[in-house]
Amino acid sequence: MTNLHFKYHSQTIATKTEDFRIFRLIDPFLFAVDNIHGARYHAIVPAGFSTNYASVPQFLHSLIDPQGKQARAAIAHDYLYGTGEPRAWCDAVLRAALQADGCPPWRRWLIWLGVRVFGRRYWVAAQTLN
C-alpha cells in the first residue's frame, strides 16, 4: 500500500453546521491518486459533503489540530471510507495525502496509526450507509 502519489485538483472551503464539530463543503473537492503501476483514481467529493476533518481526541489537539494542515487529507479520507474501497487502501491514501500537504513524518505516522487502530468501526459504518 505504499508508493502512492496524491494530488489535489482544487482547494477546500467548508462551513460549520449547527453541530460545531461538523463542516459541509461549499464547492466540490477534487483529488487524484496514482500508484506505481500507473493506475489513477480520480474523486470528486461533492459540495454538501459533511466532514469532521480529523477525528482527533481532545487530549491530542495540542499535537494535531483537527482542522490544521491535515484537513484536506482528512476530507479525502472521510470520503473514501464511504466509497467501498478497501480500508487499508483508504488509509494508505490518507498517508500519501498527508505527505502531499507537507505534514511532518511523525504526524503522518501518528494519524495513520490512529486510523489503523480506531478507524475500523467508522469504515464499517460507512459501508452500511451505501
Side-chain angles (χ1 to χ4, degrees):
M1 291 300 160
T2 58
N3 297 318
L4 295 175
H5 176 72
F6 189 93
K7 183 171 183 177
Y8 295 105
H9 293 289
S10 65
Q11 295 298 316
T12 58
I13 300 175
T15 184
K16 285 186 180 182
T17 64
E18 306 78 45
D19 179 344
F20 70 94
R21 296 166 295 184
I22 304 297
F23 294 78
R24 234 176 230 111
L25 293 184
I26 295 172
D27 294 316
F29 173 57
L30 292 74
F31 66 89
V33 182
D34 297 327
N35 69 21
I36 59 173
H37 304 294
R40 176 167 274 191
Y41 179 95
H42 290 276
I44 301 173
V45 183
F49 179 78
S50 296
T51 182
N52 65 348
Y53 292 115
S55 301
V56 178
Q58 184 72 37
F59 72 92
L60 290 175
H61 282 196
S62 62
L63 289 175
I64 301 171
D65 176 3
Q67 300 167 34
K69 196 170 211 170
Q70 64 282 343
R72 295 189 309 172
I75 293 169
H77 187 253
D78 285 356
Y79 177 76
L80 288 173
Y81 260 30
T83 63
E85 295 291 344
R87 181 173 164 244
W89 183 79
C90 296
D91 294 348
V93 169
L94 171 67
R95 205 167 188 180
L98 291 167
Q99 183 173 3
D101 274 337
C103 288
W106 67 268
R107 185 179 295 159
R108 293 193 305 257
W109 181 83
L110 190 59
I111 292 170
W112 174 83
L113 181 63
V115 298
R116 291 309 298 157
V117 172
F118 300 108
R120 185 176 194 287
R121 71 177 178 178
Y122 300 104
W123 183 82
V124 169
Q127 304 318 296
T128 62
L129 294 176
N130 293 333

